[in-house]
Amino acid sequence: MKMNRLVSGNTVNRLPKYIRLLDELGRQGISRVSSSEIGRLLGITPSQVRQDLSNFGTYGSQGYGYGVQGLCNGLKSVMGLDHTHRVVIVGAGSIGKALLCHLQFENYHYCVAAAFDTDRNLIGTEIGGTTVYHPDELERIHREKPIDICVLAVPAEAAKMSASIVAKMGIPAIWNLTNVDLGLNQQNIIVEDMHFLDSLFCLTYYLKEQSTNLEMFA
Amino acid sequence: MKMNRLVSGNTVNRLPKYIRLLDELGRQGISRVSSSEIGRLLGITPSQVRQDLSNFGTYGSQGYGYGVQGLCNGLKSVMGLDHTHRVVIVGAGSIGKALLCHLQFENYHYCVAAAFDTDRNLIGTEIGGTTVYHPDELERIHREKPIDICVLAVPAEAAKMSASIVAKMGIPAIWNLTNVDLGLNQQNIIVEDMHFLDSLFCLTYYLKEQSTNLEMFA
């Protein structure tokens, strides 16, 4: 699939949902799917689906739809998920531990090289098969074999300082789970923030919307 | 602020980002802000900002912009964050524990009433100030004082069964952190899924996009 340089952020945000859906359809043995069916399952319009996918030169055939496996592989390639990415987890507290034990990074070609924590009781132990090191070791490990993505899961008060160190080492991307704005805008590093509360706020909005609707019909 | 019934999902998804930004500006003692400044800080266009906010009958004044505190309170009210919501956490493993210890629910009027786990070593203990009960107690606690939101943080294999029990009890909303599609579409319950991997996939996309750009200029 070719990569269009003018893909909007909203389309990029929807790509993982397409991939998860297509993976699931593939597991169910379904070999083709229409834009209407994709739209129905994801709660978006069929024309939005067609528009999103046409960004990558992918057009379903009239009456046939899209081939599930081909589309899934194509979108994974667009997202870079067909390459191995070397990942480290900085912060092995409850969130870091949850990721190490449950996220199944390896299913999507992420290779977790190491975890880091300042807690002496954790250093030298393994969590979910990954060894925990002191943060002082990060630079050496990155020099030996470059890290692609640093997952930042340190306590809020350590977030900015840790991010700044990681940026200086030349690690190209941070996945930020600290709920803190890292303030690295000026630097040559990609930061993706995952704010837990954003998702909870949206749920709360829909809850309010529903109760307002119920009142209208009462 | 009035609530427009035709607000798009994309606008809803951006509301938490506006609220977080306005909270931060308020902490910095900033009392007004323009749509250009909001757009710059959030990486969206000023016209998108104006369009989003006009959904709620809020228009900045030419040359003045928006009042930070008023806009922030208005958007919190639109999202329902000015009301107290009674929350329970089902599953007190590493993710549940991370939420209980770090999410600061109380800052946004969420009251965490109880946590639940089948692990006998956890039952009766407190995590982040919240008592852990056996899941059998959930119905009683909901009957005594209704729960608004169930945070589902159980292992993947227990996700669908737990969600189905929660839906039958009449709890109106599930915040789903299990990375499993709960399949509750037909039921009268609001589900918001938080898929950790979606955010990591987007980061990976931007990493690929950047390295492609660098190659072009090499």
Side-chain angles (χ1 to χ4, degrees), chain A residues 5 77 110 199 204 208 213, chain B residues 5 77 110 175 204 208 213:
Chain A
R5 305 202 148 266
S77 158
Y110 297 101
S199 166
T204 310
K208 174 171 174 173
N213 284 337
Chain B
R5 306 205 146 266
S77 157
Y110 297 100
W175 188 30
T204 309
K208 175 170 173 173
N213 284 338

Side-chain angles (χ1 to χ4, degrees), chain A residues 44-55:
Chain A
I44 51 181
T45 64
S47 74
Q48 182 71 75
V49 173
R50 289 190 295 269
Q51 194 186 319
D52 281 345
L53 299 180
S54 69
N55 274 304

